[in-house]
Amino acid sequence: MSRGQVKGPGHAQNGSIVLELNGIQQSFPQADGGRLDVIKRADLTLRRGEMVALIGPSGSGKSTLLHITGMLEKPAAGEIVIDGEATADLGDDAKTRIRREKMGFVYQYHHLLPEFSAIENVIIPQMIAGKSRREAEPRARELLERVGLGGRLQHRPGKLSGGEQQRVAIARALANSPKLILADEPTGNLDHNTSDGVFAMLSDLVHDFGVAALIATHNLEIAQRMDRAVTLRDGELVAA
Ligand code: ADP
Ligand code: MG
């Protein structure tokens, strides 16, 4: 099925499409009374196992587009279809459910809970989604082993390096077996070598688990290692 034909729940048979953005626009009021058209048009289709770089200079609207995709911000126009479900008319509870069950988020700064251990940080989102601690623990352990932190399960975030903190954040993002990972400059705070390692690990997991990932970065070297790249140029999302 070609791009553009799949428009939502009525066509959800095509299970490989995880995310569709159709005609997304966003603008913000400015101090001078005018409006800034940050996103004039964004159309995007992401399939299972596909890792797509979202590039563009600072201020080009990458974070805005990720917030809109994560339904944390409402676009001025356009629709977001997650795993075949059109989201425009959903209430806050339904959006929260989709975020919890289908999406994992990774930020530039890890945002781990400082008072909890690495493994607890990966257990807690599963408990919020309804699992018991006992059910959640094996997956948390397995994910942390996958990201190379099998020996750091009981460490609190403050006792981990920046790269290790991002690895925990990636394990946490995958805790509830999401279909879609949204990451906003996930290696932006890391030095060159560390970001290479963290990116390689994220890439392995995305491909192994068959999730789709949209990853904002201004590191072009990292962008080139993804399956493809899109860029926000003067508010239009185009192939890079
Ligand atoms: P990027 O992530 O690519 O650096 P952002 O999405 O953060 O870009 O921001 C794009 C533009 O939109 C910037 O000029 C920013 O100042 C503006 N902007 C973002 N959010 C808001 C907001 N809530 N209100 C007004 N302007 C905003
Ligand atoms: Mg940003």
Side-chain angles (χ1 to χ4, degrees), residues 46-61:
L46 251 72
R47 292 181 163 75
R48 279 194 82 215
E50 196 177 32
M51 193 176 207
V52 176
L54 173 59
I55 57 181
S58 180
S60 60

Side-chain angles (χ1 to χ4, degrees), residues 155-231:
H155 286 51
R156 288 191 181 181
K159 301 283 182 202
L160 298 171
S161 71
E164 289 170 338
Q165 290 167 345
Q166 279 307 65
R167 286 166 188 259
V168 179
I170 289 165
R172 175 186 57 185
L174 290 161
N176 288 322
S177 306
K179 300 260 169 114
L180 176 65
I181 294 282
L182 300 176
D184 198 349
E185 312 257 8
T187 62
N189 273 337
L190 306 175
D191 65 48
H192 187 83
N193 284 336
T194 310
S195 57
D196 259 19
V198 167
F199 174 77
M201 197 229 35
L202 177 58
S203 176
D204 282 353
L205 289 170
V206 164
H207 293 117
D208 284 3
F209 293 168
V211 301
L214 182 59
I215 299 178
T217 182
H218 52 235
N219 182 331
L220 294 182
E221 231 173 277
I222 279 183
Q224 278 169 6
R225 286 156 63 188
M226 300 197 211
D227 301 312
R228 62 190 165 96
V230 291
T231 185

Side-chain angles (χ1 to χ4, degrees), residues 61-156:
K62 302 182 297 297
S63 294
T64 299
L65 190 62
L66 287 173
H67 291 157
I68 289 170
T69 305
M71 300 179 294
L72 300 163
E73 190 178 304
K74 219 173 154 49
E79 73 166 351
I80 303 137
V81 183
I82 308 286
D83 197 25
E85 189 169 359
T87 63
D89 298 328
L90 298 178
D92 286 345
D93 287 354
K95 286 181 182 167
T96 300
R97 174 186 57 77
I98 291 178
R99 265 198 297 278
R100 198 162 59 210
E101 293 176 358
K102 305 212 166 171
M103 295 181 176
F105 297 87
V106 183
Y107 306 94
Q108 181 166 357
Y109 178 72
H110 59 77
H111 291 300
L112 298 170
L113 300 169
E115 301 303 318
F116 292 89
S117 66
I119 193 164
E120 285 168 331
N121 268 280
V122 186
I123 287 173
I124 288 165
Q126 298 180 70
M127 292 178 70
I128 292 170
K131 281 193 191 166
S132 71
R133 188 181 173 115
R134 220 160 54 96
E135 288 168 321
E137 189 163 332
R139 180 162 177 85
R141 183 183 297 274
E142 181 195 317
L143 282 168
L144 286 168
E145 282 166 2
R146 278 297 309 264
V147 301
L149 293 177
R152 300 271 192 283
L153 300 180
Q154 304 305 332
H155 286 51
R156 288 191 181 181

